[in-house]
Amino acid sequence: NPVSTYTLHQNYPNPFNPSTIIRFEIPELSFVQLKVYDLLGNKIETLVNELKSAGNYEVTFNVNHLADGVYFYRIIAGSFIETKKMLFLK
């Protein structure tokens, strides 16, 4: 079944240690950026930064090098922008 809307799902598991999966869906060919930020808005990592066909995607984020706490992940795909919060517990 075709994807009809842009969607950013809550990461799973959450809280997580040492990795989590971020899933998203895009309904049409789009340039997708998926980035992780800390509480202060500093970019921690770019997980996706490329043209993607319509479909469902999942990305694994590994965090063994980070301090525990709250992080944010943001998707920008076409005009769609969404940010969600995740919790890393050591």
Side-chain angles (χ1 to χ4, degrees):
N1 53 351
V3 175
S4 59
T5 59
Y6 288 95
T7 308
L8 178 63
H9 294 277
Q10 186 63 50
N11 64 301
Y12 181 83
N14 186 40
F16 65 96
N17 180 13
S19 67
T20 188
I21 293 173
I22 299 171
R23 294 188 308 117
F24 63 92
E25 298 156 15
I26 57 173
E28 60 193 8
L29 183 69
S30 304
F31 190 85
V32 177
Q33 293 182 311
L34 180 62
K35 297 180 181 181
V36 178
Y37 299 88
D38 66 14
L39 268 178
L40 300 175
N42 299 306
K43 186 179 75 178
I44 300 297
E45 195 163 331
T46 299
L47 301 175
V48 179
N49 189 35
E50 63 188 12
L51 201 57
K52 294 275 195 193
S53 301
N56 300 285
Y57 296 91
E58 64 176 46
V59 180
T60 301
F61 176 51
N62 292 297
V63 290
N64 5 19
H65 59 290
L66 296 177
D68 57 353
V70 174
Y71 293 88
F72 296 93
Y73 57 103
R74 172 180 290 159
I75 191 169
I76 302 174
S79 59
F80 175 75
I81 301 174
E82 189 167 349
T83 303
K84 290 190 181 289
K85 183 166 73 172
M86 59 183 167
L87 181 60
F88 172 42
L89 291 181
K90 282 194 173 164

